[in-house]
Amino acid sequence: NTLSVLLRLILSVIFGAIIGMQRPFRRHDAGLRTFALVCLGSSLATIVNIYLLQTTGSADTSRIPAGVISGIGFIGVGSIIITSRREIRGLTTAAGLWVTAAIGIALGSGMIYISCFTFILSITTVRLLLIISSHAERNDRMIEMYIELEDKAALDSIRKYMLQNSFEIRSMEKHRDKAANENGLTLLMETDMKKRHEHIQIIKDLENIDGISYVEEIKA
């Protein structure tokens, strides 16, 4: 009935908006409006699918939801980028859009309780696992960094620092074309610290080395 359909559509907008609410605060492109519209659109598409089945008796109940999931896949791929510093961004956004679309399909199908439970799980997952993963990343034994050097001499200082702390340089890529000045150098370096260390302290130590103008940890 009309009331049931309106309830499903309203809930899809509310759920999608809340899931996307955290994105703008973390400077992500796909934010509140994107998630709300994805959830609303997938919900409406599913409602239309059910309506066609009831009115014609010949509609395939899986066709439109399957199309929604495939379409969201294209949007998700478009949100994933690899930066010049080899950072992969957009994976969580893509996964969030996909889950939001699935919630919309469930709402459109009339599975209100299942949709509410999935919504709570998705919010909990994003909030709680973000804290856990951030702590793990900050204290992992492996660290990958982007470093800008003023001159090539600073490279020896970096190697000396790594040797003094018994760190192992697993890989190092040097680029001159991306440096700020003609004598400069940029590095993409992956280091194995052998045991857990606070990454912020490693960054600070490297920033204090003469000849290093900028250091940033590369995060997936």
Side-chain angles (χ1 to χ4, degrees), residues 11-23 30-44 46 68-69 72 92-108 115 118-119 122-123 126:
L11 283 176
S12 67
V13 172
I14 294 173
F15 286 3
I18 294 175
I19 292 173
M21 194 175 292
Q22 62 139 354
R23 312 305 292 172
L32 186 148
R33 290 175 297 177
T34 304
F35 277 78
L37 290 174
V38 163
C39 197
L40 175 62
S42 57
S43 179
L44 178 59
T46 306
V68 169
I69 293 297
I72 292 302
T92 304
T93 300
L97 288 170
W98 189 81
V99 170
T100 303
I103 291 174
I105 291 173
L107 281 169
S115 302
T118 306
F119 165 72
S122 64
I123 292 296
V126 171

Side-chain angles (χ1 to χ4, degrees), residues 5 12 26 40 71 136 169 203:
V5 170
S12 67
R26 302 190 65 209
L40 175 62
I169 299 176
I203 300 296

Side-chain angles (χ1 to χ4, degrees), residues 7-84:
L7 175 62
R8 299 177 195 182
L9 293 176
I10 291 171
L11 283 176
S12 67
V13 172
I14 294 173
F15 286 3
I18 294 175
I19 292 173
M21 194 175 292
Q22 62 139 354
R23 312 305 292 172
F25 298 123
R26 302 190 65 209
R27 295 177 295 177
H28 292 283
D29 292 332
L32 186 148
R33 290 175 297 177
T34 304
F35 277 78
L37 290 174
V38 163
C39 197
L40 175 62
S42 57
S43 179
L44 178 59
T46 306
I47 291 170
V48 170
N49 200 128
I50 295 172
Y51 174 78
L52 291 175
L53 176 64
Q54 292 177 344
T55 54
T56 65
S58 60
D60 183 353
T61 54
S62 66
R63 181 174 299 174
I64 291 182
V68 169
I69 293 297
S70 299
I72 292 302
F74 284 104
I75 296 177
V77 169
S79 68
I80 299 173
I81 61 171
I82 300 177
T83 68
S84 60

Side-chain angles (χ1 to χ4, degrees), residues 33-186:
R33 290 175 297 177
T34 304
F35 277 78
L37 290 174
V38 163
C39 197
L40 175 62
S42 57
S43 179
L44 178 59
T46 306
I47 291 170
V48 170
N49 200 128
I50 295 172
Y51 174 78
L52 291 175
L53 176 64
Q54 292 177 344
T55 54
T56 65
S58 60
D60 183 353
T61 54
S62 66
R63 181 174 299 174
I64 291 182
V68 169
I69 293 297
S70 299
I72 292 302
F74 284 104
I75 296 177
V77 169
S79 68
I80 299 173
I81 61 171
I82 300 177
T83 68
S84 60
R85 300 176 184 178
R86 276 198 334 206
E87 290 180 291
I88 301 175
R89 296 187 178 276
L91 285 173
T92 304
T93 300
L97 288 170
W98 189 81
V99 170
T100 303
I103 291 174
I105 291 173
L107 281 169
S109 301
M111 302 169 68
I112 304 296
Y113 295 117
I114 297 297
S115 302
C116 291
F117 185 69
T118 306
F119 165 72
I120 294 171
L121 278 180
S122 64
I123 292 296
T124 304
T125 299
V126 171
R127 299 289 185 182
L128 180 61
L129 294 189
L130 175 62
I131 298 173
I132 296 173
S133 62
S134 296
H135 176 75
E137 288 174 1
R138 287 195 302 268
N139 297 278
D140 190 23
R141 59 177 281 180
M142 300 294 297
I143 182 172
E144 191 171 3
M145 296 173 288
Y146 168 83
I147 306 173
E148 293 183 1
L149 311 180
E150 296 176 359
D151 51 57
K152 192 176 179 181
L155 191 56
D156 294 330
S157 299
I158 292 177
R159 290 196 177 100
K160 184 178 179 181
Y161 169 80
M162 297 296 171
L163 185 62
Q164 288 175 342
N165 290 277
S166 300
F167 296 161
E168 178 187 351
I169 299 176
R170 298 291 295 272
S171 65
M172 182 187 293
E173 293 182 18
K174 306 173 188 177
H175 300 277
R176 285 193 177 276
D177 56 331
K178 299 177 182 179
N181 58 72
E182 58 181 14
N183 295 322
L185 197 67
T186 63

